[in-house]
Amino acid sequence: MSLESDIPSWVQALAGGGLIGLSAALLMGLEGRILGISGFVRSVLEADPKLKGPSTAFLLGLVLVGILAQFYFVDTLTNTQPRSYMITILAGLLVGYGTAMGNGCTSGHGVCGLSRFSYRSLIATLSFMAAGMLTVTLHRVLMGGM
Amino acid sequence: MKQQITHFIIGILFGIGLLLSGMTQPGKVIGFLDIFGNWVPDLAFVMIGAILINSIAHKFLMRRGRPLFGTGFNLPSKKDLDRPLIQGSILFGIGWGLAGFCPGPAIVSIGGLQTPAILFGIGLVIGASVFIVKKNQVK
């Protein structure tokens, strides 16, 4: 089964974005907490006495969706741009270190921060977007494509 | 326990949002970041959808004063820019562009047993741990 139906991909993207925004709104409205995945990972790694449990529960929710996706919507996990193992691990190291240092990732800064018009999050989002765009461009040029 | 259940359910909802949005497909993420090449604009709509809903909700919630299950909203108090914010975000962006994964979608794909996501996740945990250990040493 596939999610790629007659619905245009930008409409799916908009709907998915809406669900992401709704999730962030629910977590703030129910628990008073910012939805930030790198922050949740950090709470687990730091074994924060108050936040470790709820953060683990949230991340397990994501894992469960992935397990089900593999069975029912495997297309949603397609990777048309696989990188070498070394590059993939390096990317993880940079994302892990960088999001811990910058206190947030796409969800915490990009979605939650911009939604509450945080200047810090705006600068963070512009920084990682620009760095991402530059990296993809350099990678394409260096790998010989144009 | 209630707090755990709430987080778990919202995690599922967020994960479904990531699947539907295309964020769990690194090719789409890289395509979105490839503005000078074969640009795939879809993920701009993810941001638009998410910020539209969340900013309206945020305004409404702040007027309400407190969350349903808690005593107050836990919002960052820092307002000024600093080097770690910008440096960290740039390092994150480089990693994001290299493999097309940010933390949330990577964790979903780890559940789906995707090898690149698992390798990325190992790096993610090591990278974050190195920062935490370094920071604790400075203290």
Side-chain angles (χ1 to χ4, degrees), chain A residues 9 29-30 32 76 97 120 140, chain B residues 24 42 68-69 74 80 134:
Chain A
S9 60
L30 296 176
T76 58
Y97 191 89
R120 274 175 62 86
R140 178 166 44 77
Chain B
T24 49
D42 285 5
L68 198 60
F69 302 147
N74 201 344
D80 301 329
K134 250 180 76 174

Side-chain angles (χ1 to χ4, degrees), chain A residues 3-4 9-35 37-38 40-42 45-46 50-51 53-55 57-70 73-85 87-107 109-121 123-125 127-129 131-137 139-140 146, chain B residues 2-8 10-30 32-39 42-43 45-55 57-58 61-62 64 66-70 72-76 78-99 101-104 107-117 119-132 134-136:
Chain A
L3 274 180
E4 306 284 329
S9 60
W10 70 268
V11 176
Q12 285 189 33
L14 194 66
L19 264 185
I20 291 169
L22 180 66
S23 313
L26 281 172
L27 195 64
M28 185 55 74
L30 296 176
E31 301 284 351
R33 195 174 181 202
I34 285 180
L35 196 165
I37 305 302
S38 58
F40 295 169
V41 171
R42 190 169 172 173
L45 292 174
E46 284 182 327
K50 261 165 102 181
L51 297 175
S55 303
F58 191 101
L59 298 178
L60 284 177
L62 294 185
V63 170
L64 177 67
V65 169
I67 293 171
L68 295 176
Q70 204 212 356
F73 303 104
V74 76
D75 298 32
T76 58
L77 304 176
T78 309
N79 190 351
T80 56
Q81 297 263 357
R83 304 293 189 234
S84 71
Y85 287 178
I87 295 285
T88 309
I89 294 174
L90 174 68
L93 286 169
L94 287 167
V95 172
Y97 191 89
T99 53
M101 188 184 203
N103 272 317
C105 58
T106 348
S107 47
H109 282 312
V111 173
C112 293
L114 293 190
S115 294
R116 54 187 186 86
F117 303 106
S118 153
Y119 181 51
R120 274 175 62 86
S121 288
I123 298 301
T125 306
S127 304
F128 67 68
M129 287 271 191
M133 286 169 177
L134 202 65
T135 304
V136 168
T137 304
H139 184 274
R140 178 166 44 77
M146 278 322 276
Chain B
K2 194 172 80 179
Q3 213 186 354
Q4 264 84 330
I5 294 168
T6 312
H7 276 73
F8 183 65
I10 299 173
I12 292 172
L13 197 66
F14 183 75
I16 295 170
L18 290 177
L19 284 187
L20 195 60
S21 69
M23 292 291 289
T24 49
Q25 297 172 56
K28 278 197 178 179
V29 175
I30 290 171
F32 169 69
L33 293 172
D34 198 6
I35 45 166
F36 303 113
N38 196 5
W39 191 50
D42 285 5
L43 296 195
F45 292 96
V46 181
M47 287 299 267
I48 293 169
I51 292 171
L52 196 71
I53 299 283
N54 196 29
S55 59
H58 187 78
L61 287 174
M62 292 306 117
R64 194 178 168 275
R66 67 180 192 85
L68 198 60
F69 302 147
F73 294 115
N74 201 344
L75 297 169
K78 266 194 207 168
K79 295 271 182 281
D80 301 329
L81 300 182
D82 48 37
R83 279 176 72 98
L85 177 81
I86 297 169
Q87 269 177 7
S89 296
I90 290 173
L91 291 177
F92 162 43
I94 296 172
W96 193 33
L98 276 181
F101 280 121
C102 55
I107 293 167
V108 172
S109 295
I110 287 170
L113 295 178
Q114 303 295 305
T115 309
L119 294 171
F120 179 90
I122 293 168
L124 182 87
V125 167
I126 296 173
S129 303
V130 168
F131 181 82
I132 293 166
K134 250 180 76 174
K135 205 185 162 205
N136 289 340

